[in-house]
Every structure is written in structure tokens, then in C-alpha cells.
Amino acid sequence: MSGNASPSPPASPEIDDGTKTVIGIAFGNTTSSIAYTTPDGKAEVIANEEGDRQIPSVLSWVGSEEYHGTQAKSHLIRNAKNTVAYFRDFLGKKYSEIDPTNSHNSAHPLDVDGVPSFNLQQADDETVSTVSINEITTRHLIRLRDSASDFLGRKVTGAVITVPTDFSDTQKEALVAAAKAGELEVLQIIHEPVAAVLAYAARRTPEAQGVDRNILVADLGGTRCDAAVVASRGGMYTILATAHDYGLGGLRLDEVLVNHFSKEFIKKHKVDPGNERSLAKLRLEAEGTKRTLSLGTSATISIESLADGYDFHSTINRLRYELSAKKVFDQVVSLVENVVKKAELDLLDIGEVILSGGTSHTPKIASRIAALFPDSVPVNAPATLTTALNPSELSARGAAIQASLIAEFDKEDIEQSTHPAVTVAPHLSHPIGVVIGEDNSFQTILEAQTAVPARRIAQFDVQADGDVIVRICEGIREIVVEKVERQVNVIAEAAIRGAKRGGKVEVTINVGSDLGLNVAARVIGTQIGVRGEVKPEAGSAQ
Amino acid sequence: MASVKIPKPLPTLPEDWNSESNFIVHAPLSPAVHRNLSPAGPHFLAHARRKRHSRTFSEDDRIQAQQNVKNVEDEDAGEISEAESPVLLSRDPKDWKNQDHYAVLGLSKYRYKATEEQIKKAHRKKVLKHHPDKKAAVGAVDDDSFFKCIQKAMEILSDPVKRRQFDSVDEGANRDPPSKKSKGNFYKGWGPVFESEGRFSRKQPVPKLGDDKSIKAEVEEFYNFWYNFDSWRTFEYLDEEVPDDNENRDQKRYIQRKNNASRAKRKTEDTARLRKLVDDALSLDTRIKKFREEEKKLRNAKKDAREAEEKRLAEEARIKAEEDKKRKEEEEAREKAQKADSKKAREAAKNAVKKNRRVLKGSVKDVNYFASGDATPAVIDRVLGEVELVISKIDNEDLQTLARNLSGTRGADAIKSTWVEAVGELVKKGNAKVEDFKVFTS
Ligand SMILES: Nc1ncnc2c1ncn2[C@@H]1O[C@H](COP(=O)(O)OP(=O)(O)OP(=O)(O)O)[C@@H](O)[C@H]1O
Ligand SMILES: [Mg+2]
């Protein structure tokens, strides 16, 4: 495996015939992933040379040799000062804006004219170079790109990269620049929760993708947890709200286990494994134990010479672990509840839940979140749904899907397609529907938060010969035990005369971008029908 | 686009649909909210193609499009976080019990009102500023004491139980009542006091002190609420620390007992303190006096009305009594007169009876007892005997008639037949038997 440690990539063996080869990159603080789309349109996550699909976002130097991923991560034990980890969120920020907490056990960020930087030994002599966060990011992206190029046998030319929804424009610009410095073109930056939604949507028929619903995406990572409510309307996605917890993630769960095992070790040997190196070992192994606990009901830990020459062997069962981690789980649950509140929705308004990020493998987290919702709401996580995708892969897959969709676009095309004049759209503030049945209940036809222009068609059975009425209304949310939409104001009424029992009435509602409404109702297969128009309120034109 | 099948039928057209047209417009749609579509996925790209046609959007278009877009990311915590004073910065983290956790996080304006979200944001802001690794990086001496204060503050304020314990003793949130001598506005002075005390109430919302315009029921509800205050305030935050070793069990138990006692004592004192506070406010609340005066006025008015009524009733009673008396007197007079009258009548009747009897007896004597010569004593006896018998049997009315008839009759035969007739009457009425009569029979 000597090739992995090579400071400069090997002379490129890939074909560079001018064709475009694009990938998706999920760039996390803890891990990164790369994915591509197979010729039959399936997104696949690529394993690097070491066989990792979740590549630790860590770089380390021993002399002039650069290590990346899992190898670099293992250097946190003996080579912490020359190892850079958990750096993604530093990119594009001023030193005063960064939270260095997670760098405590690795190279510390320094303030170099406001730019977060690291003092590292990257040469075989003792010289120390100051490396900016931008340069670190460039190195990381180069290593990811090279791994992908290696696997695909072709030079990767461009990538779609995912970032959290709170990434500022400055951060995005820094990311694009860092990639460019590594000769990687960023085709587009997309938001992690949207990538997760895309990863799931790609498995569905276009028809099923178009089914309107509110999707809650909880991205539970290593250093942070993010949640978003995404309105899916006709296959288009609008983020309604986001929430972030910067102190919550897999590291906190590692810490729970580290504390547990430390106490046990102290009890056994009367020695505190509190020195840096012992703790680093314990952290690394505890993470492995934690992952095992996601699959089995108990896990072992085994560390040679943990402290004072004592070895450490122990077992923990899942229940014990879950008990100790309860506070962390509680915080994840409250993050989820909070984002729904911020979207001004009720938990009952959520139609699907997607759990993304490595920590979503934790069974108790998935079941605690699932318990918030009715059984009819799918909670996509390995522990709650057998058909769930690997939560660690969602961002990269979504990015790869988007990359393949825009692979043939030129720069100008992408710029114009993502221009605010295209992305900003008026969204309905209330659902539009029809009053039906004996109880005059409100049947939604266009959900609230649907971007306009939009069109929806609904079909009703005719139960008896005679005249029927199509009463178009705006609904207001009113939640009683189950989801109920109550009509508030009647927008228009249409009379259909002489319908025959057994017939079908088709109602088409068209909302213009100016909020003008066109309604057509007809009895299918007859000449009977009515059309009408509702002019927009003066001044509400977009 | 596929149509959605709705399982329920459309309602029938109402009878009173009286429009010419088959389509009636009632109202336009409500205004829309401008939001950002996520520029990803096949459906979005189709939308972009439609929207773009072959147009090219400029920088101006960008600015214009972004003008009214709803932002889904949070604002900077800037406005909620205050800078630290030098005194605060030099705090000893070991003295955390006396630390003002809200001030440490820069939330002294908010305190018990700070939301979880605000606490999180304020904490993050302080972490970014005071992280010891950042200080060490610029060569400052290894001083992480204020950072420890920050972490302690967060530990307490992010835990609902610990936060309540701290809020219970958070001096910074207390509002002292205005001094007795203070001439200030009562509502301005006391309103904030009750608002801050209200934070301890299990029942929420807490009624407001109100103002001059508050009605009596509101003021009464207010004081009722405060006299029945249900407080969650606890005092374990002020506990003396229990030693953590296993050695000194007795000492441990002793301190625990002591802590429990002082918690209870403090709670009692707090209840008394609040009670006095409410007493003080009540005594200064001019509304109470106002309501009392209004009531007194009302009561006086009622009393006046009642007295007038009583007077009226007394007068009425007096008049009635007088009338009654008069009527009674008249009645008595009348009765007396009547009595006198009836006595006369009775006497007259008695006399009449006597007279009639005399007429009856005289009638037979006048005709010499129906004898042709001198009447023998036996004849006289018989005739008078039968006369007596008639007198004893006859009623007054018939007696009168008989007497009248006899007075108008002359001659023995006529007299006798009058008698015979009368006896016949008597016999017919069943008052006498015919055998008893020898003379007065035909
Ligand atoms: N099977 C598993 N069970 C439990 N935890 C896991 C599992 N696999 C990965 N994790 C945890 O997931 C976390 C990494 O998550 P992810 O790969 O989503 O990171 P990231 O997005 O880079 O994180 P960050 O939030 O730091 O940006 C780690 O803490 C890791 O221990
Ligand atoms: Mg992540």
C-alpha cells in the first residue's frame, strides 16, 4: 500500500480524450465520499484505494509524505500535531468566525491575516510551513478526485459538491477556488439535504417523484447535525426551514463510550487513561465499537497497552450504551422537532423522513425519530426501513446524480439555470382544493408551498344523475388528531349540469405565475364542461 | 400530467344556484411567498429550460429576483449577545455557584425569557470568541478560565432541570418593589415586580397588574392569583456541596439533612416574602380604595333608597291602620244598632206571641166557649185545653195568621171553623194528632 502515501499522484494512467467525466463529492468535516453515475443511470459510491467509501476528511504529513483518509486518521494517535482534521467548516471563514473545538486533538488552526491556517512539517527536514485552510482543502479534493479517476480509469473533469445549507456565499466561493487550484472544476454546489432527497428520488418513477409531500431530512454527521424541511412539489424542491446543532454528532457518542470505558479502566487498573495518546487510542477504538453497536446488540473493545502498559479488553451491550447516550439522542430528537416548528408546520404535515449522515446508522436514533411520526410516514434509515439506502452515501449519490444531469451543460448554461431569476419563484401560501363529500371536507389539489406556475388535475366520480358543483377554495391548516385542511375562502364555483351516474368529472386547476387561476371542469367523454378564470389580485403579479 | 383520483363525490348543485353563468368568481388567491427553488433534479432543470427560453439574465435581474426572497437560514446572533465586562472576564470558574450564567453568555437582557435557540446561539458566539485554543494560538498565556465559565454556564442553561434551579435564585431577574416613599407611578413601579415574580408560577399566563382602567373583577382576579400563588421555585442551587467520597457517610448524611432543612426554610421564607409583597402592593393599590368608595357610594344610594321605601311603607301602614280602625268602629256601631234592633224585634215578637195567644184564648171566651147557655167549667177546660195544645204546637207564623183570622171573625160558628181549619193545618203538617182534639174537629 505504499502508493497511498505518495506525496504526488502517480503519472496519470487515465485516458483524457476530451470527454467529460463528472462525479459527485460529499465533503464533510468528518468524512468525504465520491460517487459516479453508471451508464444505466445508477449512482454508485466509489471506494478509494484503501477500500473506503467513507473517506475520513483527514490529511497528515510525516516528513514530505502526505497521508489521506483512514491512514491519516490513525496518525491522530502519534502524529496529532501534523494531522489536520475536521476542517471543512473553516473554509471561507475568518479566523474569528471559526470554532476550533474539534481541532483540539489535532493540528490547531492559527490566525494568519484572518485566514485559518496550520503550521505543519511537510518536508523531510525540520522546516515548518504555514498551510492555509484553502490549501488543505485543495489537497483533500485532489486526493478525492484522484481516487475517483483511478477507479473510473478516466480523468475526472468536474464535480458537483455538497455543502450544508448554512454555507455562505463566501464559503462557496472559497470551495470553488480551492477546487480550481487543484484543477477540479466545480460544476455546481448543492445542498446536502437536497442531495439526499435526489438520491431517494432517483430510485422512483418520474410519476412517484412528482407526488407532493413535505420531506424532513435529518443529516446526522460527526461534528454537527443539520435538519431541513424540504417541500417536494411536482418533483421540484424548496427548502422551507433548516436547523443546525454544531455541538451534536457522532463525536459526542464516541465521547459517551470513551467515558464509559475510561471509568471501567480506572476501576480495573487504578490508572486514568487521561493522557493525550491513550485518549486518542480510546477514541479511535470507541468509534469502531459504536459502529458495531449499530448492527449487533453488543460489542467488544480491545486496545493493547492503553495506559501504563495495561491492555484493555471489554464488552458493552447496546442497552447500556443507549442509556448513557440518551441525552445525545434527546438532542437529536429536539433538533428534528425544532426544524418542523421553524417551517411553521406540524409533525403531521411531514410525509416522509430521510435520515442521512453516518450517525443515522444508530438504531435508537432512527426509532426515536420514527416514534414522532405516524406509522404511515416512511422513515428512511437502516433500522426502520429495510429498503433504506446507506445514510452515509446519500449526499455523494445525490451529487453524482446532479452531476450527470448537468454533465453536458457548459458553464454559462449552469450559471443561467441556477440564476435567481430562475430559482426564485412565488409559492402558494395556502393549499388550493375542492370541497367534496357529504361532510363538505376540503380536498387538497395543490399543496401550500407549490411554486407557480403550476397545474394539477383531479378526477371525481359522479354518484347520481344530476347537476354537481365544483367549489374551489383556499384551505387553512387546522390540525385535529389527524391532518385536516379546512376551507377558508371560496375562490370560485363552477356548475356542471346533467352529469350521469357512473361518469367522471375531471377538474384541472392552473395557477399562473401572477396567481391568476384557470379552472376547467368537464365530464370525461362528453361535451359537458365549464371553464372559468379568476384574475389575480391587483398588485400580486410576480 | 396524471390526474389524481379522489374517492369522494362532488356535492350536488344547490337548489338556489341562480346565476346565469355556470362559473362564479368569489375572490382572488392570497398573495404568494417568494422562495428559492433548489436548483437540482430533473424537474427543476425542466423548469429552468422553460423559464429561460432563450433569455439571458443579468446581474440586475439577480438583485431584483433576490429582493423579497424568504430566507431559511438564521440571522447572526449579533444582536442577542453582549460584550463582557473586565470583571466578568476575570471570574474564577471554580466559583461557578456565584456566577451569573446569563451574563457570561451575554444574555443578561433575556435571562429566564431566553429561548433554547437564543442560548445556543449566544453560547456559540462566545465559544468562537473565547476558545482557549484560539488564545493559545496568538501566544497568550494558557488562560482558559473564562472559557470554563462559558462551558459551565452552557451546562446549566442547556439542561432544563439545572436551568430551573438557577432561575430560582437568579438575582439578576429580580425586580425590587418601589420604596414606600417613592412617589412614582404605582403601575410602572409594581408592574415589572409582578412580571418578574410571575416567572415562578406554575400556572401560566400570569394575570397582569393592569392600570387605572382595570375593572374590579380583573383586580380581584389579580390579587386572588397572587394570594394563591403556585410556585415552582426551589432552592437546591444553594445547597452546600455533599462530599463525594464514600468514607464519610455520616458527614454526608448530615449535610444532606442540613440541605433539605435549608431548602424547606428558604421556601417558607420565600412564600412569606411574596405574601408580604402582595400585601404591600395591595395596601398601596389606589384602585382598592376607589372600588371601595364606589361601592360605598353604591351602598349609600341603596341605603337611601331602602330608607325611603321603609318610610313609604310605614306611612302606608299607618294609613291602612287608621282606615281599619275606622271601619271597625263603624262596624261595631252597626252591629250594636243591629243588636238593639233585633232585641226590640224579639221583644215585639214575644209580645206579638203573647198578644196572639191572648187573641186565641179571647176568641173562644168571646163566643162563650161555644156553649149555648152558661159554659160549665168542664167545657171551659176542654176548650182551653185544646187552645193550649194548639198554642204549644203551632209555629209563630201560623200563630200570627190564626190570630189575624180570629180577630177578623165574628160568631161562634165562624170562629170554630177557623179553629178547625187551623187544627187541620197542624195535623196535616204532622205537628198534632187529630185524636187529641174533640172540640176543634168537624
Ligand atoms: N455504522 C455506524 N454507526 C454509528 N455511527 C456511525 C456509523 N458509521 C459512521 N458513523 C458515524 O458517523 C459520523 C460521520 O458521519 P458523516 O460521514 O455523515 O460525517 P460528516 O458529514 O463528514 O460529518 P460532519 O458533521 O462532521 O460534517 C462519525 O461520527 C461516525 O462515527
Ligand atoms: Mg455531513
Side-chain angles (χ1 to χ4, degrees):
Chain A
M1 282 242 158
S2 62
N4 295 336
S6 150
S8 53
S12 118
E14 309 95 359
I15 312 155
D16 183 5
D17 55 5
T19 58
K20 290 183 177 172
T21 303
V22 296
I23 57 167
I25 297 178
F27 176 17
N29 286 301
T30 310
T31 75
S32 296
S33 303
I34 42 185
Y36 75 112
T37 315
T38 61
D40 59 347
K42 280 213 181 76
E44 298 273 6
V45 173
I46 297 168
N48 70 0
E49 313 80 74
E50 288 181 88
D52 290 326
R53 286 186 168 79
Q54 277 72 56
I55 303 161
S57 302
V58 187
L59 286 158
S60 180
W61 284 267
V62 177
S64 60
E65 279 193 58
E66 178 188 282
Y67 294 84
H68 183 236
T70 301
Q71 285 201 353
K73 188 176 174 185
S74 68
H75 286 198
L76 285 171
I77 296 171
R78 290 173 187 281
N79 189 26
K81 285 203 162 37
N82 247 4
T83 302
V84 183
Y86 307 114
F87 57 84
R88 198 269 323 269
D89 282 347
F90 298 165
L91 183 65
K93 279 195 178 158
K94 291 202 278 290
Y95 183 81
S96 61
E97 296 166 338
I98 65 164
D99 177 359
T101 304
N102 296 314
S103 305
H104 192 70
N105 306 310
S106 57
H108 290 199
L110 306 171
D111 186 355
V112 178
D113 299 329
V115 180
S117 304
F118 303 88
N119 276 345
L120 302 167
Q121 276 186 34
Q122 290 182 322
D124 292 323
D125 54 29
E126 302 278 283
T127 53
V128 170
S129 23
T130 302
V131 186
S132 72
I133 179 64
N134 309 58
E135 291 167 298
I136 294 289
T137 304
T138 299
R139 285 307 309 156
H140 177 57
L141 292 175
I142 287 175
R143 296 300 294 261
L144 293 174
R145 182 203 60 195
D146 288 350
S147 293
S149 299
D150 258 7
F151 176 87
L152 296 169
R154 267 177 314 188
K155 188 173 163 57
V156 169
T157 52
V160 168
I161 304 185
T162 61
V163 298
T165 57
D166 66 345
F167 234 50
S168 68
D169 287 345
T170 327
Q171 286 178 286
K172 288 179 197 162
E173 281 159 26
L175 179 57
V176 172
K180 195 173 175 199
E183 289 172 33
L184 176 69
E185 187 195 348
V186 176
L187 304 174
Q188 191 186 349
I189 290 174
I190 64 171
H191 287 147
E192 290 166 346
V194 175
V197 170
L198 281 181
Y200 274 100
R203 300 199 312 175
R204 300 196 173 111
T205 60
E207 196 121 297
Q209 285 180 35
V211 175
D212 295 343
R213 66 210 180 286
N214 297 322
I215 306 172
L216 186 141
V217 184
D219 184 346
L220 315 175
T223 63
R224 55 185 281 177
C225 287
D226 304 279
V229 176
V230 181
S232 171
R233 304 283 183 267
M236 292 206 282
Y237 310 114
T238 305
I239 296 179
L240 298 181
T242 63
H244 313 282
D245 195 326
Y246 303 104
L248 185 61
L251 282 182
R252 289 274 305 281
L253 295 173
D254 299 347
E255 201 180 287
V256 165
L257 287 174
V258 165
N259 288 339
H260 171 83
F261 289 131
S262 291
K263 274 193 200 135
E264 205 172 289
F265 188 83
I266 292 170
K267 220 177 185 176
K268 255 191 207 158
H269 303 293
K270 306 268 178 273
V271 175
D272 188 350
N275 69 75
E276 270 180 39
R277 187 174 293 182
S278 301
L279 273 178
K281 274 188 194 171
L282 197 50
R283 258 186 232 116
L284 211 60
E285 291 307 319
E287 193 200 341
T289 308
K290 177 187 74 175
R291 289 171 191 244
T292 310
L293 283 169
S294 291
L295 289 173
T297 51
S298 76
T300 55
I301 188 164
S302 211
I303 304 171
E304 270 171 47
S305 179
L306 177 56
D308 268 19
Y310 291 112
D311 293 347
F312 181 57
H313 303 284
S314 182
T315 308
I316 181 167
N317 68 36
R318 196 195 271 172
L319 253 125
R320 180 74 189 74
Y321 163 61
E322 288 172 350
L323 215 62
S324 315
K326 184 179 174 294
K327 204 174 155 191
V328 180
F329 299 158
D330 287 346
Q331 280 173 282
V332 174
V333 170
S334 90
L335 177 76
V336 167
E337 290 172 327
N338 185 232
V339 78
V340 176
K341 208 187 294 161
K342 280 171 94 175
E344 292 171 17
L345 294 177
D346 186 273
L347 288 167
L348 294 169
D349 293 316
I350 302 297
E352 182 178 359
V353 177
I354 295 175
L355 296 194
S356 170
T359 300
S360 296
H361 285 282
T362 314
K364 192 70 179 179
I365 289 183
S367 65
R368 287 276 309 268
I369 291 176
L372 296 175
F373 300 94
D375 289 343
S376 58
V377 174
V379 174
N380 294 288
T384 42
L385 213 56
T386 47
T387 55
L389 296 169
N390 182 346
S392 296
E393 297 188 348
L394 300 180
S395 278
R397 279 170 177 252
I401 290 160
Q402 180 66 7
S404 74
L405 289 173
I406 60 171
E408 296 307 322
F409 284 36
D410 58 30
K411 206 171 173 230
E412 164 83 5
D413 252 357
I414 296 171
E415 238 163 50
Q416 286 289 311
S417 299
T418 58
H419 192 286
V422 176
T423 59
V424 175
H427 286 58
L428 295 180
S429 41
H430 299 292
I432 300 173
V434 165
V435 170
I436 50 163
E438 278 141 33
D439 52 350
N440 278 335
S441 57
F442 180 83
Q443 171 69 44
T444 302
I445 296 180
L446 280 106
E447 294 282 351
Q449 310 304 353
T450 299
V452 293
R455 180 164 66 139
R456 295 290 187 278
I457 306 166
Q459 220 181 69
F460 303 86
D461 294 333
V462 179
Q463 286 208 323
D465 292 358
D467 304 340
V468 293
I469 184 168
V470 181
R471 193 174 273 140
I472 312 269
C473 303
E474 274 187 335
I476 194 163
R477 285 179 53 241
E478 188 180 326
I479 290 155
V480 196
V481 195
E482 273 176 275
K483 180 175 168 176
V484 176
E485 309 253 27
R486 275 278 184 81
Q487 78 197 72
V488 264
N489 61 13
V490 181
I491 302 296
E493 290 175 310
I496 297 183
R497 301 192 183 268
K500 290 271 174 290
R501 181 194 155 92
K504 289 188 189 326
V505 175
E506 188 184 76
V507 178
T508 305
I509 301 179
N510 246 311
V511 187
S513 55
D514 60 356
L515 292 185
L517 201 70
N518 270 294
V519 179
R522 63 183 185 101
V523 181
I524 294 176
T526 68
Q527 296 294 316
I528 306 168
V530 52
R531 278 179 180 282
E533 187 188 353
V534 182
K535 292 238 157 48
E537 195 165 23
S540 75
Q542 67 151 2
Chain B
M1 169 165 288
S3 63
V4 182
K5 304 222 167 14
I6 313 286
K8 285 190 186 174
L10 291 165
T12 49
L13 192 70
E15 299 278 323
D16 56 359
W17 176 279
N18 53 11
S19 166
E20 290 274 290
S21 155
N22 280 335
F23 192 84
I24 309 176
V25 174
H26 291 284
L29 288 181
S30 309
V33 182
H34 287 250
R35 293 179 185 271
N36 253 312
L37 286 165
S38 291
H43 292 87
F44 172 80
L45 292 172
H47 158 84
R49 256 193 315 278
R50 285 193 301 271
K51 187 114 185 193
R52 285 170 63 198
H53 287 297
S54 48
R55 268 180 293 171
T56 303
F57 298 108
S58 67
E59 201 52 33
D60 282 350
D61 295 332
R62 172 189 304 273
I63 292 160
Q64 193 172 354
Q66 283 173 325
Q67 242 163 20
N68 294 313
V69 188
K70 182 142 180 147
N71 188 14
V72 292
E73 287 303 324
D74 301 328
E75 303 296 312
D76 179 50
E79 59 344 324
I80 63 157
S81 189
E82 313 139 350
E84 316 73 8
S85 69
V87 180
L88 199 62
L89 284 173
S90 58
R91 278 203 63 85
D92 178 359
K94 286 199 206 76
D95 183 31
W96 63 268
K97 279 256 167 171
N98 293 313
Q99 170 176 309
D100 180 345
H101 304 304
Y102 288 111
V104 167
L105 292 191
L107 290 167
S108 52
K109 275 208 302 279
Y110 296 85
R111 299 200 172 270
Y112 63 95
K113 289 182 193 149
T115 63
E116 264 175 61
E117 196 76 10
Q118 283 174 321
I119 291 172
K120 252 191 211 160
K121 278 187 196 164
H123 172 248
R124 183 157 175 79
K125 198 156 163 119
K126 293 293 177 195
V127 168
L128 296 188
K129 191 166 169 195
H130 296 284
H131 201 287
D133 288 352
K134 279 183 164 179
K135 289 191 180 164
V138 293
V141 273
D142 191 17
D143 178 17
D144 60 354
S145 58
F146 189 62
F147 189 68
K148 282 187 179 144
C149 296
I150 293 172
Q151 297 305 73
K152 193 71 198 181
M154 188 59 183
E155 178 198 319
I156 285 166
L157 298 184
S158 63
D159 178 325
V161 175
K162 289 184 186 164
R163 185 176 175 193
R164 273 216 154 175
Q165 292 174 359
F166 175 69
D167 281 342
S168 283
V169 297
D170 180 11
E171 305 269 334
N174 291 344
R175 289 282 167 282
D176 288 333
S179 79
K180 285 251 159 80
K181 280 163 268 159
S182 125
K183 287 271 183 299
N185 178 310
F186 173 79
Y187 309 105
K188 275 205 188 115
W190 284 88
V193 176
F194 282 106
E195 201 192 312
S196 109
E197 292 290 340
R199 71 192 192 271
F200 300 122
S201 178
R202 259 189 252 275
K203 269 184 260 159
Q204 296 286 349
V206 175
K208 292 235 162 26
L209 177 59
D211 54 27
D212 271 335
K213 287 175 203 71
S214 307
I215 60 165
K216 185 169 174 238
E218 287 166 346
V219 177
E220 266 173 5
E221 196 215 320
F222 177 84
Y223 284 105
N224 264 339
F225 179 92
W226 284 100
Y227 278 119
N228 297 299
F229 195 71
D230 184 6
S231 164
W232 52 256
R233 195 172 191 185
T234 58
F235 292 93
E236 54 261 68
Y237 196 86
L238 305 177
D239 278 357
E240 192 180 315
E241 209 162 332
V242 180
D244 202 15
D245 52 30
N246 290 330
E247 262 85 276
N248 217 334
R249 288 248 182 110
D250 287 343
Q251 171 73 359
K252 211 163 152 181
R253 235 174 271 152
Y254 167 71
I255 294 182
Q256 267 163 358
R257 256 204 315 275
K258 211 167 103 181
N259 280 339
N260 285 342
S262 53
R263 278 185 208 173
K265 183 164 167 266
R266 286 197 173 100
K267 182 80 185 171
T268 312
E269 284 168 359
D270 187 54
T271 310
R273 176 195 64 83
L274 184 66
R275 201 176 175 90
K276 176 160 185 317
L277 190 110
V278 182
D279 283 343
D280 287 350
L282 184 69
S283 71
L284 293 170
D285 194 335
T286 53
R287 289 175 301 187
I288 306 298
K289 204 173 149 202
K290 187 181 83 183
F291 292 140
R292 215 175 280 144
E293 266 161 19
E294 276 169 9
E295 242 162 61
K296 199 167 148 199
K297 240 187 241 160
L298 203 67
R299 232 181 8 247
N300 283 348
K302 268 197 202 137
K303 197 172 140 210
D304 288 350
R306 200 172 54 233
E307 279 172 3
E309 176 71 2
E310 266 165 19
K311 212 162 150 194
R312 191 181 64 80
L313 287 177
E315 180 66 14
E316 238 171 40
R318 190 186 61 79
I319 291 170
K320 189 165 175 279
E322 244 163 50
E323 277 171 0
D324 282 353
K325 193 174 160 208
K326 208 164 141 195
R327 207 169 31 243
K328 208 168 156 195
E329 279 168 3
E330 280 169 6
E331 194 110 318
E332 273 168 11
R334 204 165 42 242
E335 251 167 46
K336 215 163 151 189
Q338 237 166 31
K339 243 187 235 159
D341 282 357
S342 68
K343 195 174 166 191
K344 252 188 231 159
R346 258 198 323 275
E347 251 156 43
K350 234 193 242 164
N351 289 341
V353 170
K354 273 186 199 158
K355 195 176 132 203
N356 288 341
R357 286 182 184 163
R358 254 195 324 270
V359 171
L360 261 55
K361 284 178 189 159
S363 72
V364 285
K365 191 184 168 198
D366 285 349
V367 291
N368 197 30
Y369 309 101
F370 309 116
S372 30
D374 281 336
T376 62
V379 169
I380 293 168
D381 254 7
R382 153 118 10 98
V383 172
L384 283 180
E386 287 193 12
V387 170
E388 287 295 336
L389 186 63
V390 170
I391 285 170
S392 72
K393 300 287 178 186
I394 200 163
D395 60 32
N396 279 347
E397 216 170 307
D398 288 348
L399 174 65
Q400 176 132 18
T401 314
L402 180 58
R404 201 167 48 238
N405 290 347
L406 288 175
S407 324
T409 307
R410 292 286 175 270
D413 288 346
I415 295 282
K416 191 171 180 184
S417 62
T418 302
W419 274 104
V420 171
E421 204 179 314
V423 169
E425 264 313 288
L426 264 184
V427 172
K428 212 158 101 197
K429 279 187 183 166
N431 289 345
K433 290 179 202 144
V434 76
E435 312 86 82
D436 293 334
F437 296 98
K438 294 272 163 21
V439 180
F440 297 146
T441 50
S442 43

